[in-house]
Amino acid sequence: MEAAESRAGPGPALSLVLDSSATLAWIYSEEITPPIAQLFRRIAESGAWVPGLWRLEVGNILEMGIRRGRHDARFRDATFADLSLLPVQVDPETDRHAWATTTKMASRYQLTLYDAAYLELARRRGLPLASLDSDLRKAAKLERVPLLGA
């Protein structure tokens, strides 16, 4: 991701906030829907913001996929290489909001703090949220955050 981040440059006009559920729907070909394909074309053209936990979340799910026999390490590593080509920018302020706004959102909407981090980022940056998580989508609607991906 470092290469993609450096290409983005300072103050990129990125188009959306991408969560791990939408990312995983793109990664696993059997889960790609027309809205997900369109979403990733948009990301390739206009980029996306993610909180710092995004890489860990996606990486953990891919690692668990190896342990459960869904795919092998080559698939994981190729996926990391593909994702690193996307113009994805890690938000530098997510952690500053973790114990305040993010925690309040998690409590208000009964979300994990991980999911609330995506919602907080989308609201703070005034961008649509790309997610397939039903609880997160419901909270985004209540926060009046536009949604993509489904």
Side-chain angles (χ1 to χ4, degrees):
M1 285 295 184
E2 286 74 22
E5 288 173 359
S6 65
R7 280 197 314 263
L14 303 176
S15 67
L16 57 96
V17 171
L18 174 65
D19 90 340
S20 61
S21 68
T23 304
L24 292 166
W26 181 71
I27 289 170
Y28 294 115
S29 60
E30 68 273 12
E31 296 180 23
I32 295 177
T33 62
I36 290 296
Q38 180 181 1
L39 172 69
F40 275 83
R41 282 192 295 275
R42 179 174 173 170
I43 291 169
E45 294 171 4
S46 304
W49 283 104
V50 296
L53 61 93
W54 178 75
R55 287 186 191 139
L56 293 171
E57 238 186 331
V58 171
N60 186 63
I61 292 166
L62 288 168
E63 185 61 29
M64 293 300 106
I66 293 169
R67 294 178 192 180
R68 293 180 180 129
R70 185 171 187 184
H71 55 256
D72 59 19
R74 282 186 315 222
F75 177 86
R76 179 202 58 210
D77 296 344
T79 299
F80 288 160
D82 288 347
L83 289 174
S84 71
L85 297 174
L86 292 173
V88 172
Q89 182 73 31
V90 176
D91 178 65
E93 299 176 31
T94 299
D95 65 323
R96 294 184 198 137
H97 299 275
W99 292 347
T101 308
T102 305
T103 298
K104 289 176 186 170
M105 286 179 160
S107 180
R108 181 179 313 130
Y109 300 116
Q110 300 297 292
L111 299 172
T112 65
L113 267 92
Y114 309 118
D115 286 346
Y118 293 101
L119 179 58
E120 183 281 323
L121 176 58
R123 196 179 89 189
R124 177 169 36 90
R125 292 204 174 263
L127 294 171
L129 174 63
S131 176
L132 300 180
D133 182 280
S134 61
D135 291 335
L136 181 52
R137 290 180 68 84
K138 187 185 320 178
K141 286 177 185 174
L142 292 169
E143 287 288 323
R144 297 188 176 121
V145 170
L147 290 162
L148 301 171

